[in-house]
Amino acid sequence: MIESNIYPLGDKAVTVQFGSQIDKDTHKIVRTFVRHLETESWPGVLEWVPAFTSVTLYYDPMQTDLDKLTDHIQQDIQQMEHEEEEAPRLLEIPVCYGGELGKDLEYIADYHQMTTEEVIKLHTEPEYIVYMIGFAPGFPYIGGLSPKLATPRKTSPDLRIPAGSVAIGGQQTGVYPIESPGGWHIIGQTPWELFNPGHQPPSLLRAGDRIKFTPIDFKLFEQERGKTPWE
């Protein structure tokens, strides 16, 4: 049985909480619920925002109300109990590690008393999960980082992080899709363009995707710069 907690968020939104811990089972439920929202017609629902363990629905109170929406949500959750998870996409993202593109790689290595080669090996071994998109347009919060690489965020954030920078922050890894400030440690950069407002959807990555990072050298980085799987 899928456990959930439904509660109002102001007078135009409702949050459906599916758990309190970030894990694969809760993520599966969140993704299935979002898939229903994407494929069904929910009267009065304007948009929705999935998070690690919840989904918030924003609605037009002139078209629906909290009670009607709650009933619809509860019926939908009952249907979900008998469904299988949709097969996720697997994307292999090229990354040039270290040097000017990964200025914090040596810090990560020193912090964990290992070589930069060991850091790269540990970072490229797992198959990661994109749990949610947030912070900045298209920014993926990615789970599955080796505990051996978990590193506290910087006490003083960088003011400018280039688009495509691959980073470690706490127990997660991520990719900055646009230039922005940030407090994660930069270990490399992908040549791919991960966010383009001219594309539909504008973000290459989405919640539920599986990711593998593949190491490349600087020559290949230059050859692939600006490319994207959209092309």
Tab-separated table of all heavy atoms in Angstrom, residues 2-33:
chain	number	residue	atom	x	y	z
A	2	ILE	N	0.548	2.191	-0.882
A	2	ILE	CA	1.306	3.429	-0.965
A	2	ILE	C	0.817	4.396	0.111
A	2	ILE	O	-0.356	4.768	0.147
A	2	ILE	CB	1.152	4.076	-2.355
A	2	ILE	CG1	1.724	3.154	-3.437
A	2	ILE	CG2	1.849	5.435	-2.404
A	2	ILE	CD1	1.516	3.660	-4.842
A	3	GLU	N	1.726	4.795	0.980
A	3	GLU	CA	1.364	5.742	2.027
A	3	GLU	C	1.596	7.163	1.521
A	3	GLU	O	2.579	7.446	0.828
A	3	GLU	CB	2.201	5.486	3.285
A	3	GLU	CG	1.938	4.119	3.909
A	3	GLU	CD	2.716	3.932	5.198
A	3	GLU	OE1	3.423	4.882	5.608
A	3	GLU	OE2	2.596	2.851	5.799
A	4	SER	N	0.681	8.057	1.883
A	4	SER	CA	0.803	9.440	1.452
A	4	SER	C	0.156	10.365	2.464
A	4	SER	O	-0.700	9.953	3.252
A	4	SER	CB	0.149	9.636	0.079
A	4	SER	OG	-1.244	9.359	0.144
A	5	ASN	N	0.580	11.600	2.434
A	5	ASN	CA	0.006	12.641	3.277
A	5	ASN	C	-0.308	13.831	2.382
A	5	ASN	O	0.579	14.361	1.719
A	5	ASN	CB	0.993	13.039	4.382
A	5	ASN	CG	0.418	14.087	5.313
A	5	ASN	OD1	-0.803	14.209	5.437
A	5	ASN	ND2	1.276	14.852	5.957
A	6	ILE	N	-1.558	14.224	2.321
A	6	ILE	CA	-2.004	15.309	1.453
A	6	ILE	C	-2.363	16.511	2.317
A	6	ILE	O	-3.189	16.400	3.226
A	6	ILE	CB	-3.220	14.873	0.616
A	6	ILE	CG1	-2.896	13.594	-0.169
A	6	ILE	CG2	-3.664	15.990	-0.315
A	6	ILE	CD1	-4.109	12.966	-0.833
A	7	TYR	N	-1.749	17.659	2.025
A	7	TYR	CA	-2.044	18.845	2.837
A	7	TYR	C	-1.984	20.109	1.979
A	7	TYR	O	-1.241	20.179	0.999
A	7	TYR	CB	-1.086	18.955	4.022
A	7	TYR	CG	0.380	18.989	3.660
A	7	TYR	CD1	1.037	20.182	3.386
A	7	TYR	CD2	1.129	17.811	3.591
A	7	TYR	CE1	2.388	20.210	3.066
A	7	TYR	CE2	2.485	17.829	3.264
A	7	TYR	CZ	3.097	19.037	3.013
A	7	TYR	OH	4.428	19.067	2.695
A	8	PRO	N	-2.791	21.123	2.326
A	8	PRO	CA	-2.828	22.360	1.527
A	8	PRO	C	-1.556	23.175	1.695
A	8	PRO	O	-0.925	23.164	2.749
A	8	PRO	CB	-4.044	23.101	2.087
A	8	PRO	CG	-4.175	22.601	3.490
A	8	PRO	CD	-3.740	21.160	3.450
A	9	LEU	N	-1.204	23.878	0.642
A	9	LEU	CA	-0.078	24.808	0.663
A	9	LEU	C	-0.645	26.153	0.199
A	9	LEU	O	-0.646	26.467	-0.987
A	9	LEU	CB	1.038	24.325	-0.259
A	9	LEU	CG	2.370	25.080	-0.185
A	9	LEU	CD1	3.045	24.872	1.167
A	9	LEU	CD2	3.312	24.613	-1.289
A	10	GLY	N	-1.150	26.930	1.138
A	10	GLY	CA	-1.869	28.141	0.785
A	10	GLY	C	-3.255	27.796	0.259
A	10	GLY	O	-3.785	26.708	0.518
A	11	ASP	N	-3.848	28.710	-0.505
A	11	ASP	CA	-5.213	28.487	-0.997
A	11	ASP	C	-5.256	28.102	-2.475
A	11	ASP	O	-6.337	27.967	-3.054
A	11	ASP	CB	-6.065	29.740	-0.772
A	11	ASP	CG	-5.503	30.969	-1.474
A	11	ASP	OD1	-4.400	30.874	-2.035
A	11	ASP	OD2	-6.167	32.027	-1.452
A	12	LYS	N	-4.076	27.877	-3.089
A	12	LYS	CA	-4.045	27.529	-4.504
A	12	LYS	C	-3.105	26.367	-4.805
A	12	LYS	O	-2.739	26.149	-5.959
A	12	LYS	CB	-3.633	28.745	-5.343
A	12	LYS	CG	-4.600	29.920	-5.257
A	12	LYS	CD	-4.128	31.077	-6.118
A	12	LYS	CE	-5.081	32.256	-6.017
A	12	LYS	NZ	-4.624	33.412	-6.845
A	13	ALA	N	-2.703	25.644	-3.769
A	13	ALA	CA	-1.774	24.537	-3.994
A	13	ALA	C	-2.005	23.448	-2.954
A	13	ALA	O	-2.508	23.697	-1.859
A	13	ALA	CB	-0.333	25.023	-3.937
A	14	VAL	N	-1.620	22.236	-3.334
A	14	VAL	CA	-1.707	21.095	-2.416
A	14	VAL	C	-0.452	20.245	-2.612
A	14	VAL	O	0.018	20.061	-3.734
A	14	VAL	CB	-2.985	20.267	-2.682
A	14	VAL	CG1	-3.015	19.759	-4.123
A	14	VAL	CG2	-3.089	19.100	-1.712
A	15	THR	N	0.101	19.761	-1.514
A	15	THR	CA	1.296	18.929	-1.558
A	15	THR	C	0.945	17.490	-1.211
A	15	THR	O	0.211	17.232	-0.254
A	15	THR	CB	2.365	19.444	-0.581
A	15	THR	OG1	2.815	20.729	-1.027
A	15	THR	CG2	3.564	18.502	-0.525
A	16	VAL	N	1.474	16.566	-2.016
A	16	VAL	CA	1.303	15.138	-1.748
A	16	VAL	C	2.660	14.608	-1.305
A	16	VAL	O	3.603	14.541	-2.088
A	16	VAL	CB	0.827	14.391	-3.009
A	16	VAL	CG1	0.486	12.946	-2.656
A	16	VAL	CG2	-0.367	15.095	-3.634
A	17	GLN	N	2.755	14.231	-0.038
A	17	GLN	CA	4.004	13.749	0.546
A	17	GLN	C	4.001	12.223	0.545
A	17	GLN	O	3.112	11.589	1.114
A	17	GLN	CB	4.154	14.275	1.981
A	17	GLN	CG	5.495	13.996	2.626
A	17	GLN	CD	6.571	14.942	2.137
A	17	GLN	OE1	6.318	16.112	1.931
A	17	GLN	NE2	7.777	14.430	1.962
A	18	PHE	N	5.019	11.623	-0.092
A	18	PHE	CA	5.072	10.169	-0.201
A	18	PHE	C	6.093	9.528	0.728
A	18	PHE	O	6.180	8.301	0.789
A	18	PHE	CB	5.399	9.769	-1.644
A	18	PHE	CG	4.291	10.061	-2.616
A	18	PHE	CD1	4.404	11.101	-3.519
A	18	PHE	CD2	3.136	9.302	-2.612
A	18	PHE	CE1	3.391	11.368	-4.422
A	18	PHE	CE2	2.108	9.564	-3.509
A	18	PHE	CZ	2.236	10.603	-4.419
A	19	GLY	N	6.877	10.317	1.425
A	19	GLY	CA	7.878	9.764	2.323
A	19	GLY	C	8.703	10.861	2.935
A	19	GLY	O	8.501	12.056	2.662
A	20	SER	N	9.658	10.481	3.764
A	20	SER	CA	10.510	11.461	4.440
A	20	SER	C	11.992	11.230	4.152
A	20	SER	O	12.830	12.025	4.572
A	20	SER	CB	10.277	11.401	5.959
A	20	SER	OG	10.545	10.099	6.454
A	21	GLN	N	12.317	10.157	3.423
A	21	GLN	CA	13.705	9.844	3.109
A	21	GLN	C	13.911	9.775	1.603
A	21	GLN	O	13.021	9.365	0.856
A	21	GLN	CB	14.126	8.506	3.740
A	21	GLN	CG	14.138	8.514	5.258
A	21	GLN	CD	14.632	7.197	5.826
A	21	GLN	OE1	14.597	6.172	5.159
A	21	GLN	NE2	15.104	7.234	7.062
A	22	ILE	N	15.094	10.209	1.166
A	22	ILE	CA	15.439	10.147	-0.247
A	22	ILE	C	15.904	8.735	-0.566
A	22	ILE	O	16.978	8.314	-0.139
A	22	ILE	CB	16.549	11.160	-0.582
A	22	ILE	CG1	16.118	12.577	-0.199
A	22	ILE	CG2	16.905	11.093	-2.056
A	22	ILE	CD1	17.220	13.595	-0.338
A	23	ASP	N	15.102	7.983	-1.279
A	23	ASP	CA	15.483	6.627	-1.663
A	23	ASP	C	14.805	6.260	-2.983
A	23	ASP	O	13.927	6.974	-3.479
A	23	ASP	CB	15.146	5.610	-0.567
A	23	ASP	CG	13.678	5.632	-0.170
A	23	ASP	OD1	12.816	5.665	-1.078
A	23	ASP	OD2	13.375	5.620	1.034
A	24	LYS	N	15.226	5.144	-3.559
A	24	LYS	CA	14.747	4.738	-4.879
A	24	LYS	C	13.252	4.411	-4.870
A	24	LYS	O	12.541	4.715	-5.834
A	24	LYS	CB	15.543	3.533	-5.379
A	24	LYS	CG	17.002	3.842	-5.684
A	24	LYS	CD	17.719	2.611	-6.208
A	24	LYS	CE	19.179	2.919	-6.523
A	24	LYS	NZ	19.901	1.724	-7.033
A	25	ASP	N	12.757	3.776	-3.790
A	25	ASP	CA	11.351	3.388	-3.747
A	25	ASP	C	10.439	4.613	-3.735
A	25	ASP	O	9.434	4.660	-4.457
A	25	ASP	CB	11.077	2.525	-2.512
A	25	ASP	CG	11.724	1.147	-2.619
A	25	ASP	OD1	11.990	0.712	-3.755
A	25	ASP	OD2	11.966	0.524	-1.567
A	26	THR	N	10.778	5.607	-2.917
A	26	THR	CA	9.971	6.825	-2.866
A	26	THR	C	10.053	7.572	-4.191
A	26	THR	O	9.054	8.102	-4.695
A	26	THR	CB	10.441	7.736	-1.722
A	26	THR	OG1	10.363	7.023	-0.489
A	26	THR	CG2	9.580	8.985	-1.630
A	27	HIS	N	11.253	7.599	-4.773
A	27	HIS	CA	11.431	8.265	-6.061
A	27	HIS	C	10.563	7.605	-7.140
A	27	HIS	O	9.973	8.299	-7.978
A	27	HIS	CB	12.897	8.204	-6.469
A	27	HIS	CG	13.174	8.753	-7.830
A	27	HIS	ND1	13.086	10.093	-8.115
A	27	HIS	CD2	13.510	8.131	-8.989
A	27	HIS	CE1	13.378	10.281	-9.398
A	27	HIS	NE2	13.641	9.118	-9.948
A	28	LYS	N	10.472	6.292	-7.106
A	28	LYS	CA	9.648	5.566	-8.072
A	28	LYS	C	8.189	6.001	-7.954
A	28	LYS	O	7.504	6.216	-8.969
A	28	LYS	CB	9.775	4.063	-7.834
A	28	LYS	CG	8.845	3.211	-8.675
A	28	LYS	CD	8.982	1.748	-8.317
A	28	LYS	CE	7.961	0.905	-9.070
A	28	LYS	NZ	8.063	-0.538	-8.703
A	29	ILE	N	7.700	6.150	-6.740
A	29	ILE	CA	6.308	6.565	-6.526
A	29	ILE	C	6.092	7.986	-7.023
A	29	ILE	O	5.084	8.289	-7.686
A	29	ILE	CB	5.943	6.450	-5.030
A	29	ILE	CG1	5.990	4.987	-4.582
A	29	ILE	CG2	4.557	7.033	-4.763
A	29	ILE	CD1	5.859	4.795	-3.083
A	30	VAL	N	7.028	8.865	-6.712
A	30	VAL	CA	6.925	10.253	-7.174
A	30	VAL	C	6.862	10.307	-8.691
A	30	VAL	O	6.033	11.006	-9.286
A	30	VAL	CB	8.115	11.094	-6.656
A	30	VAL	CG1	8.160	12.455	-7.353
A	30	VAL	CG2	8.014	11.295	-5.154
A	31	ARG	N	7.742	9.548	-9.368
A	31	ARG	CA	7.774	9.560	-10.826
A	31	ARG	C	6.484	8.989	-11.434
A	31	ARG	O	5.985	9.488	-12.435
A	31	ARG	CB	8.979	8.743	-11.335
A	31	ARG	CG	10.317	9.414	-11.137
A	31	ARG	CD	10.381	10.767	-11.833
A	31	ARG	NE	9.988	10.683	-13.215
A	31	ARG	CZ	9.346	11.660	-13.856
A	31	ARG	NH1	9.009	12.758	-13.224
A	31	ARG	NH2	9.024	11.528	-15.131
A	32	THR	N	5.944	7.948	-10.830
A	32	THR	CA	4.701	7.371	-11.337
A	32	THR	C	3.552	8.359	-11.206
A	32	THR	O	2.739	8.521	-12.122
A	32	THR	CB	4.361	6.076	-10.583
A	32	THR	OG1	5.435	5.141	-10.721
A	32	THR	CG2	3.089	5.457	-11.127
A	33	PHE	N	3.488	9.052	-10.078
A	33	PHE	CA	2.443	10.049	-9.865
A	33	PHE	C	2.566	11.182	-10.878
A	33	PHE	O	1.565	11.637	-11.451
A	33	PHE	CB	2.522	10.590	-8.432
A	33	PHE	CG	1.418	11.544	-8.084
A	33	PHE	CD1	0.110	11.111	-7.962
A	33	PHE	CD2	1.693	12.885	-7.865
A	33	PHE	CE1	-0.915	11.993	-7.651
A	33	PHE	CE2	0.689	13.782	-7.547
A	33	PHE	CZ	-0.623	13.329	-7.430
